[in-house]
Amino acid sequence: MIGSLGCEFVQFTLLPTTNYNNNATQNPITVHFGIWYRQSVEFYNYSDSNGGGGYYKVSTCTGYSDDNINIDPSWMAARAFSILVLILGGIALLLALATCCCANHVHVTNINRFNGGIYLLVTLFQGLTLIILSSKLCQNNDDIRQVMGQENVMYSFPDECNLSEGAKCIISATAFWFLAGILSCTSFRAGRKKMEASLVNTDTPSSVEP
């Protein structure tokens, strides 16, 4: 969830194409973008007493509302899937807490079965948020180039993005959601067998020795 809502889902490595004061080429700059937010970066030049110089960057997390970017269908789908993950994940968490409070209730096994289905559904939606990797955010980034345009720094902008911490968290979360779904369904089957065995033992009359 945090990976979807943060501003470090994918990243671009910008390579400076100019030297400052005939000095060595500056180090590459990594700029991050998210599904809902992006990293806003401002560059500032500096010079030292030895005649050298360079720049430093100041970054914050901001939205896309002021960037005049047309969000394509793949990007919109990734946003929709991230919202579904947040809603269904919250429901699954509440149900899991309810089963902890009512561990001996007769309907707990049914809740585990229902929760297992939610986990598997969240697995699907969580994985589908990666559809943003095929959106214009990563593939056709002319708008992103315009957003990142800085007059005081010259750099080359790559054609494709790379995975950042947020996308890597999403991949890990997808695997954990799937594992939780399988374990929850397994727990339901084990609980049902235990309940059936208990009912059989209850209905079977005990033998009375003469």
Side-chain angles (χ1 to χ4, degrees), residues 179-198:
L179 180 61
I182 297 299
L183 292 178
S184 186
C185 292
T186 303
S187 174
F188 161 73
R189 292 184 179 181
R192 186 176 62 179
K193 290 181 180 179
K194 182 178 180 180
M195 183 177 297
E196 291 176 351
S198 177

Side-chain angles (χ1 to χ4, degrees), residues 30-206:
T30 301
V31 182
H32 301 271
F33 293 85
I35 298 176
W36 295 91
Y37 303 97
R38 69 174 179 86
Q39 185 183 41
S40 176
V41 181
E42 294 183 359
F43 302 96
Y44 297 92
N45 295 326
Y46 70 89
S47 60
D48 54 34
S49 58
N50 297 325
Y55 63 86
Y56 63 93
K57 69 174 184 177
V58 177
S59 61
T60 57
C61 201
T62 185
Y64 293 97
S65 57
D66 298 328
D67 295 333
N68 195 26
I69 293 179
N70 294 321
I71 299 176
D72 63 357
S74 295
W75 196 341
M76 289 293 294
R79 286 188 167 188
F81 290 132
S82 67
I83 294 175
L84 290 174
V85 168
L86 184 62
I87 295 174
L88 293 178
I91 294 174
L93 176 61
L94 293 177
L95 289 176
L97 293 175
T99 57
C100 293
C101 297
C102 308
N104 297 322
H105 197 275
V106 67
H107 296 299
V108 167
T109 55
N110 293 328
I111 294 177
N112 287 335
R113 181 183 184 183
F114 182 69
N115 228 12
I118 294 180
Y119 290 147
L120 294 177
L121 193 60
V122 172
T123 300
L124 175 63
F125 293 151
Q126 188 77 89
L128 286 174
T129 56
L130 295 174
I131 195 175
I132 196 172
L133 299 178
S134 63
S135 71
K136 65 186 301 182
L137 174 63
C138 281
Q139 302 296 329
N140 183 15
N141 44 46
D142 290 338
D143 288 339
I144 301 301
R145 283 192 179 93
Q146 183 178 359
V147 168
M148 292 304 301
Q150 300 285 341
E151 296 179 357
N152 56 343
V153 175
M154 297 294 294
Y155 51 79
S156 61
F157 205 103
D159 293 329
E160 295 183 359
C161 67
N162 295 315
L163 299 181
S164 188
E165 288 80 3
K168 294 175 182 178
C169 287
I170 292 299
I171 295 174
S172 300
T174 302
F176 283 119
W177 281 119
F178 179 74
L179 180 61
I182 297 299
L183 292 178
S184 186
C185 292
T186 303
S187 174
F188 161 73
R189 292 184 179 181
R192 186 176 62 179
K193 290 181 180 179
K194 182 178 180 180
M195 183 177 297
E196 291 176 351
S198 177
L199 291 175
V200 169
N201 293 332
T202 302
D203 295 337
T204 301
S206 60

